[in-house]
Amino acid sequence: MTIRIGFVGCGLIAGFHAAGLEHVPDAEITAVFDVDDARRNRFADAHSARAVTSLDELVAAVDAVYVTTWTAAHPDAVEAVAAAGLPVFCEKPLGVDLATAQAMEATVRAAGVVNQVGLVLRSSPAFRWLREQVRSGRHGVPMSMVFRDDQYLPTRGMYASTWRGDPALAGSGALLEHSIHDLDLIEWILGDIVSVNAVTDFAHEIDGIEDQVSVIMRTAEGAQAVLSSTWHDIDSRPSQRSVEVFCRSGHLAVEGDWFGPVRQQTSTEDPQTLEGRELVDSIRPIDGIAGNPDADFVHAVRTGQPAHPDFAVAVRAHVLADAAYRSASEGGAPIDVRVTRSDEQPPTG
Ligand SMILES: NC(=O)c1ccc[n+]([C@@H]2O[C@H](COP(=O)([O-])OP(=O)(O)OC[C@H]3O[C@@H](n4cnc5c(N)ncnc54)[C@H](O)[C@@H]3O)[C@@H](O)[C@H]2O)c1
């Protein structure tokens, strides 16, 4: 049976998911909606889908929905999709703040619908490799991580999104809008974070949109992580992440955030580098993750099994972001973020 997919929001990230869906058998984009008529019609034409003029019309026409609007419009769309009893894939961040994200998670839980969030870097071969290296224990306990993330101010260039400069639509700046991925990855790789300290700055002087943030985190196992995220003016530089982890007897590095290169140096072996196909082939047999979050979502829709990462995972990333903002507003004071839950769920697809 072909799964009929709908999109609400036909911008940049919708295009990426549409590309991911092209590799998924028996799934097709059948209806799309955007408040911007030109975008809606262009996206509909590109995917031979029907351009509909309301959310009600959309949910009546499909089996599952991607919510890919700007962030402030996510909650209403998710509520409408959940009320119709349909599976929902919502982009990160879920909402403009923690309370909104928690309410959205409660909505999909109460409706009992399959839900997945766009924390897509959990599918990245490079970060899956790093996680496996750290969590295997073969390099000894993790001690420190330096996670550097940068991109040009995304109100221009390929993002061309004025909404990213408006806190009412984006929530806030570099940390929530972009580096929520990084907070999620850091805990996913290093284990439970127990405390967060942060500072934020506003070099571009856009109210409520921080463009420099540094976050220091400690884990329950005693590791330290430092996240540095910057929005600059170097338009020729694509969004880039660079991550280094020191375990007691191993140094691990990610230099390209999907296909590597990744590097490891240990106290007993020669340095090694992996990238591209070799990296994919090395991690896939170990974690069994297909590496296409859109295929994972369609699989969950088809089988009714829980999707991953789901809204509950996203709420935890929101908790970490919220703690960082609270710390920054208190001059970098430590914020306790200890949890008693485990967010480890088996991957689907
Ligand atoms: N997972 C990732 O790596 C990633 C990457 C980029 C963006 N995102 C997230 O995806 C979301 C969209 O970002 P984007 O870059 O595609 O933005 P975009 O500006 O390119 O597209 C957003 C679209 O939503 C439409 N829209 C806004 N409100 C709407 C509503 N109520 N109903 C229907 N359509 C509406 C806009 O007209 C626009 O076409 C944001 O939440 C962003 O944070 C995630």
Side-chain angles (χ1 to χ4, degrees):
M1 184 191 85
T2 297
I3 305 288
R4 298 168 304 163
I5 304 279
F7 274 82
V8 48
C10 301
L12 177 79
I13 200 65
F16 279 91
H17 290 299
L21 287 167
E22 277 173 17
H23 302 282
V24 183
D26 295 330
E28 64 182 34
I29 303 171
T30 51
V32 303
F33 171 58
D34 196 298
V35 288
D36 180 319
D37 291 355
R39 282 190 168 207
R40 182 190 63 210
N41 293 335
R42 206 166 45 235
F43 194 69
D45 287 349
H47 301 286
S48 307
R50 191 151 68 91
V52 299
T53 52
S54 75
L55 205 44
D56 287 346
E57 222 184 317
L58 184 83
V59 296
V62 298
D63 302 310
V65 176
Y66 278 75
V67 174
T68 46
T69 63
W70 51 61
T71 303
H74 291 174
D76 285 351
V78 165
E79 194 168 334
V81 177
L86 295 181
V88 58
F89 184 113
C90 182
E91 262 309 333
K92 53 42 63 183
L94 282 183
V96 296
D97 57 27
L98 172 59
T100 306
Q102 287 169 326
M104 292 169 72
E105 192 278 329
T107 296
V108 295
R109 189 159 27 88
V113 295
V114 166
N115 58 94
Q116 187 169 329
V117 70
L119 290 169
V120 293
L121 286 169
R122 286 194 181 209
S123 295
S124 139
F127 286 115
R128 285 156 48 205
W129 172 88
L130 181 60
R131 180 173 192 260
E132 197 279 326
Q133 293 287 331
V134 170
R135 309 257 317 196
S136 69
R138 74 177 77 97
H139 305 299
V141 293
M143 298 178 71
S144 64
M145 173 189 268
V146 177
F147 198 123
R148 197 267 299 138
D149 189 350
D150 75 276
Q151 64 177 186
Y152 58 78
L153 194 73
T155 51
R156 55 177 194 254
M158 72 173 222
Y159 303 99
S161 57
T162 49
W163 65 265
R164 284 184 173 88
D166 181 348
L169 298 181
S172 43
L175 186 64
L176 184 71
E177 161 46 29
H178 182 61
S179 284
I180 194 163
H181 279 296
D182 308 335
L183 295 172
D184 174 62
L185 287 173
I186 290 167
E187 188 162 67
W188 189 58
I189 292 165
L190 287 184
D192 285 353
I193 293 170
V194 295
S195 76
V196 168
N197 305 68
V199 291
T200 55
D201 280 296
F202 302 81
H204 290 87
E205 298 181 354
I206 307 172
D207 267 354
I209 303 292
E210 81 284 356
D211 49 19
Q212 291 164 265
V213 56
S214 298
V215 188
I216 298 177
M217 288 153 276
R218 291 188 104 109
T219 73
E221 290 180 329
Q224 301 173 3
V226 179
L227 167 66
S228 166
S229 183
T230 306
W231 279 351
H232 48 67
D233 294 333
I234 313 164
D235 290 359
S236 57
R237 192 178 155 86
S239 177
Q240 291 187 25
R241 293 177 173 87
S242 169
V243 183
E244 288 183 73
V245 175
F246 282 95
C247 298
R248 277 289 288 271
S249 52
H251 172 254
L252 307 158
V254 167
E255 293 172 12
D257 64 16
W258 200 270
F259 291 119
V262 300
R263 303 187 200 283
Q264 76 170 73
Q265 181 172 15
T266 74
S267 49
T268 53
E269 293 166 47
D270 290 339
Q272 282 180 19
T273 300
L274 282 173
E275 63 184 309
R277 190 78 250 164
E278 214 184 348
L279 172 63
V280 174
D281 289 346
S282 78
I283 187 63
R284 175 99 194 250
I286 296 172
D287 65 12
I289 294 175
N292 179 346
D294 300 300
D296 292 344
F297 179 57
V298 171
H299 177 79
V301 173
R302 194 182 296 289
T303 61
Q305 288 172 9
H308 190 78
D310 63 9
F311 280 29
V313 169
V315 166
R316 175 62 183 169
H318 273 273
V319 165
L320 299 176
D322 178 74
Y325 287 125
R326 280 191 288 136
S327 171
S329 72
E330 293 168 22
I335 305 290
D336 190 331
V337 291
R338 262 176 286 215
V339 285
T340 51
R341 68 86 187 85
S342 163
D343 70 355
E344 296 302 325
Q345 297 170 24
T348 59

